[in-house]
Amino acid sequence: NIDSPELYNKTNDLIEEAYQKVRSVAHAKNSGVIAKQGLLTAVQNMADKISVSNDIQIEVVDYGLDNRLENSLELTLFRIIQELVTNIIKHADATEVTIHLTNHGDRINIMVEDNGKGFDTHQITKSNAGMGISSIDKRVEHLDGELTIESEQNKGTTIIIDIPL
């Protein structure tokens, strides 16, 4: 029976556990780890850990990230990406996520695509931007960056963040 509370609770527990995992990966001496490894390695490690523990495959595609960025910027970008991934795990029912990190020299571009259920972007305004988007938006704004959300119901979601360096 699909409506059984046991099943629902079990699913909820799994989601909660996945969420906690992401957060613990996040907080584990975060700044130090990222400072040592750099943004790309940190994101790849996070992607690997999550891909192993959930029914979701995360691929990281990078271009031009040969040089380290400024330390606090790397940390902020990591937190943004982590928040996006957490949102996908919690809300999107996606099985595949691709994180593109591209350094264009004078700007950095982050694109996170998922094959989840998507949503109607008209329903998301800056004020009701549930799903953690508003905290991401604030971080991006703080970096003078731009946040673009492209989504269609049942077609997945693409979030593009463009940040000047």
Side-chain angles (χ1 to χ4, degrees):
N1 175 355
I2 199 91
D3 297 324
S4 84
E6 290 81 32
L7 185 67
Y8 178 77
N9 290 338
K10 187 167 191 284
T11 310
N12 248 358
D13 290 348
L14 286 170
I15 291 173
E16 190 51 39
E17 191 185 331
Y19 185 58
Q20 292 306 333
K21 271 196 187 119
V22 177
R23 294 202 80 78
S24 65
V25 171
H27 293 299
K29 309 237 179 7
N30 213 338
S31 355
V33 176
I34 292 169
K36 277 206 282 295
Q37 308 171 326
L39 178 66
L40 185 58
T41 312
V43 171
Q44 277 166 336
N45 287 347
M46 174 182 72
D48 293 345
K49 275 191 181 140
I50 294 170
S51 297
V52 168
S53 60
N54 299 297
D55 299 330
I56 189 164
Q57 284 305 308
I58 302 181
E59 189 191 352
V60 180
V61 180
D62 65 287
Y63 180 80
L65 271 179
D66 313 318
N67 299 321
R68 295 287 305 272
L69 304 169
E70 197 265 314
N71 220 338
S72 65
L73 177 61
E74 287 199 331
L75 189 57
T76 305
L77 294 178
F78 180 77
R79 294 227 164 101
I80 289 171
I81 292 167
Q82 182 201 330
E83 193 72 35
L84 290 172
V85 170
T86 304
N87 285 340
I88 292 169
I89 292 174
K90 282 175 75 177
H91 302 286
D93 296 337
T95 54
E96 289 169 30
V97 179
T98 309
I99 301 170
H100 298 268
L101 294 167
T102 309
N103 185 342
H104 296 288
D106 61 342
R107 51 200 318 111
I108 186 141
N109 183 271
I110 298 169
M111 186 164 80
V112 179
E113 296 174 288
D114 72 63
N115 66 347
K117 59 186 179 197
F119 55 87
D120 180 351
T121 49
H122 299 299
Q123 292 168 346
I124 286 217
T125 60
K126 294 275 191 255
S127 56
N128 84 348
M131 300 185 29
I133 294 290
S134 55
S135 68
I136 294 169
D137 196 50
K138 282 196 186 74
R139 289 179 187 200
V140 172
E141 246 170 55
H142 188 68
L143 297 168
D144 295 324
E146 258 173 68
L147 171 71
T148 312
I149 302 174
E150 293 170 4
S151 185
E152 256 178 89
Q153 302 229 257
N154 307 318
K155 298 266 178 72
T157 303
T158 300
I159 294 186
I160 302 161
I161 294 173
D162 207 49
I163 290 173
L165 289 174

